Amino acid sequence: MTASGSRLFSAPATQLPMSSEDFAQAARLLSDRTGIVLGDHKEEMTARVLDAQARKSGQGSVAAYLAYLRQHPQAEIWQSFINAFTVNHTAFFRERHHFEILADFAKQRPAPISVWCCAASTGEEAYTIAMTLLEVCGRAPSRVSVLATDIDSKAIQKAQRGVYTAERVKAIPENLLRQYFQRGRGSNEGLVRVKPVLGECIRFQTLNLVEPAWPIDQKFDAIFCRNTMIYFDKKTQVRILERFVPLLKKDGLLFAGHSENFTYLTQVFRLQGQTVYRVVS
């Protein structure tokens, strides 16, 4: 026990100690700023993150680092704090059936088709959406519009670069790979880069889904919000779902992750297919 009576989580001797109060405070700060819920099973991970962030910021302890965050809500280190807790697991054509549904849906809609990918991570999902739409709507960027956002600024920067290893693009059909990616040569051997015809369809920006106002001034034919709601509590999930409604065009679709079920959360969406929803008229 420490002098304050709080327990210290076990950690290597070189790691800055994190008390139970530190963990609770970090969880509150993260939840208030992003809506992400840190469960008790994330204690060890949180200790590692706070150790790294405290050292990076020049603070001598985890408690001092958290105090600085509290006292400076507009400080630049907040973004680093948020980035450290976000999960960037994504892939090209992940949950492939969604893109088959999107292609069929787009065939019935007038161009340009607009889609919001609201948890774009490092870009694989957004580029998959754009490829799918270009194949249906014609290979002209003016016919396809994808807004790709994520709370993690580093992930968005990587997405904007549009450079991936050959291993990452294995799920892309060969004909699409040739059409939309350029293979690296020489020192770039083993890498591929997004071609302009694909990159010009997408606008990337950092966006926090729990912000009181979203900097969005358009409506969308579809919204992809996949494998994101699982990190929020139910109240936050409902609020975000209800905020999606006015941003969808008539008969627009909402795509969710394979482990997410919105039917019991709100009556504003009805299930349209496998983890695909439509606004209730």
Side-chain angles (χ1 to χ4, degrees), residues 4-21:
S4 64
S6 64
R7 62 187 172 91
L8 297 178
F9 300 118
S10 59
T14 57
Q15 183 171 296
L16 295 174
M18 179 188 76
S19 70
S20 54
E21 283 86 352

Side-chain angles (χ1 to χ4, degrees), residues 73-88:
Q74 304 305 318
E76 290 185 6
I77 66 170
W78 263 101
Q79 188 61 59
S80 182
F81 172 74
I82 292 169
N83 290 354
F85 283 101
T86 54
V87 178
N88 294 313

Side-chain angles (χ1 to χ4, degrees), residues 22-70:
D22 292 336
F23 174 71
Q25 187 167 144
R28 284 195 299 272
L29 290 172
L30 187 66
S31 177
D32 290 347
R33 184 63 69 102
T34 70
I36 296 172
V37 177
L38 277 181
D40 291 342
H41 64 290
K42 298 288 184 67
E43 290 175 358
E44 290 187 9
M45 179 273 285
T46 301
R48 291 193 299 271
V49 167
L50 293 181
D51 170 75
Q53 294 301 310
R55 293 178 190 276
K56 183 178 177 181
S57 67
Q59 302 296 322
S61 69
V62 167
Y65 169 68
L66 293 172
Y68 187 88
L69 288 175
R70 275 199 326 275

